[in-house]
Amino acid sequence: MTDTDTRSQPKKQGLTRRQRRRVSRGVQYAVFVAAVLAFAFSADWGRLQNQFLQLPIAEQMFPDVITLALKNTVLYTLSGFVVGLGLGIVVALMRLSSVAPYRWVAGVYIEIFRGLPALLIFIFVGVGVPLAFPNVQYPGGTYGKVAVALGLVSAAYMAETIRAGIQAVPKGQMEAARSLGFSPARAMISIVIPQAFRIILPPLTNELVLLFKDSSLVLFLGVTLEERELSKFGNDLASTTANSTPILVAGLCYLLVTVPLGFVVRRMESRSQEAIR
């Protein structure tokens, strides 16, 4: 065969980029379906139903799981969020202060409370503080303890979020406020911080979701029957009935709050990105 004959033969064409993407996507779908089917056929659904899906046990949880456990969980979360937000603003401003000792104190606080597990902070608030200061009483009893513990946990994260939001506000805003006769403190409170909160609203809402789940650590503070939150409520009933259905119901109650909040966070993030564009 001559060179002319070789050149005259049509060259074999490979898959185009679009076709390769379709093949890759098809393989991924096939692997996913195979994994789902393998799980579905290998799981012992009878034992799972017997351990987690006992409707008579689930019915016994109502209405207390909503009127007591979920209500307490929401109250603990909101109180901790309020304390954490207030403390976070103070720490963020200290972090941005021109006074060096303020910056050092804020930096040490953030590093310590971001590095410690939340469980240790709860134990410190519930056991350490009463031992160190026997005459000090938390306002609100257990609710006050939880507010302080969750507030200390979240304030370190919120402080860094708030600081980033303040620094994201254009410096011209502060300069314009100063030119109108605002003092630095008034300009920060009235002009800069409100604009910063518009920027950091999605991550703050996400922090609220994390606090809602961290409220499960309340059980380490020692609570009464009327002060139980979802995890403690479900765990107590699971121990009483020797069945895990109460834990599953408690988990579903968590999702009743966290899923809508997660949707709100995604909506706010998408709106923020649209505004930037």
Side-chain angles (χ1 to χ4, degrees):
M1 183 180 294
T2 63
D3 293 340
T4 305
D5 295 334
T6 303
R7 288 195 297 267
S8 62
Q9 293 180 355
K11 295 182 179 180
K12 295 182 179 180
Q13 297 292 334
L15 295 176
T16 64
R17 183 177 300 177
R18 178 177 297 181
Q19 290 173 333
R20 288 197 298 269
R21 285 200 300 265
R22 288 179 179 176
V23 171
S24 175
R25 193 179 298 114
V27 171
Q28 294 176 37
Y29 280 131
V31 171
F32 174 77
V33 172
V36 171
L37 292 177
F39 171 77
F41 285 107
S42 61
D44 190 337
W45 294 104
R47 295 182 64 182
L48 286 174
Q49 181 178 2
N50 183 62
Q51 187 65 25
F52 289 97
L53 296 174
Q54 290 296 316
L55 292 181
I57 296 177
E59 291 173 355
Q60 296 175 12
M61 300 178 65
F62 292 90
D64 289 346
V65 69
I66 301 296
T67 60
L68 176 67
L70 182 58
K71 181 198 72 174
N72 284 336
T73 303
V74 172
L75 290 177
Y76 292 148
T77 303
L78 292 179
S79 61
F81 184 79
V82 170
V83 173
L85 183 60
L87 182 58
I89 293 174
V90 173
V91 175
L93 293 177
M94 291 175 63
R95 187 77 162 166
L96 296 172
S97 175
S98 58
V99 181
Y102 287 170
R103 296 197 305 272
W104 299 338
V105 171
V108 170
Y109 172 84
I110 290 172
E111 293 302 324
I112 290 177
F113 283 90
R114 283 200 308 180
L116 287 176
L119 174 59
L120 294 183
I121 298 175
F122 270 80
I123 294 175
F124 169 75
V125 170
V127 180
V129 173
L131 288 176
F133 307 97
N135 297 324
V136 174
Q137 298 291 331
Y138 290 99
T142 301
Y143 292 94
K145 290 181 183 179
V146 176
V148 172
L150 287 177
L152 290 174
V153 170
S154 62
Y157 295 94
M158 289 190 189
E160 286 294 88
T161 302
I162 295 169
R163 178 188 62 81
I166 291 174
Q167 291 180 326
V169 176
K171 294 182 179 180
Q173 297 293 319
M174 174 65 80
E175 296 171 355
R178 296 285 289 141
S179 66
L180 294 174
F182 283 68
S183 65
R186 185 183 175 190
M188 178 65 69
I189 295 172
S190 302
I191 305 297
V192 177
I193 290 181
Q195 294 186 58
F197 268 84
R198 292 183 60 185
I199 299 172
I200 64 175
L201 195 56
L204 284 183
T205 308
N206 195 45
E207 181 64 28
L208 181 62
V209 174
L210 296 177
L211 276 183
F212 188 76
K213 294 185 291 183
D214 284 342
S215 65
S216 61
L217 297 173
V218 170
L219 61 92
F220 291 98
L221 297 178
V223 294
T224 64
L225 292 177
E226 296 300 319
E227 295 171 340
R228 291 178 297 175
E229 41 71 51
L230 283 171
S231 293
K232 176 65 173 173
F233 185 85
N235 186 64
D236 287 349
L237 285 181
S239 300
T240 302
T241 60
N243 191 273
S244 300
T245 299
I247 295 177
L248 176 63
V249 175
L252 293 176
C253 290
Y254 276 105
L255 294 178
L256 286 176
V257 177
T258 57
V259 170
L261 280 177
F263 175 77
V264 171
V265 170
R266 290 191 295 271
R267 289 289 297 173
M268 288 190 296
E269 289 176 345
S270 63
R271 289 187 178 182
S272 299
Q273 292 175 357
E274 292 175 359
I276 294 174
R277 293 173 185 174

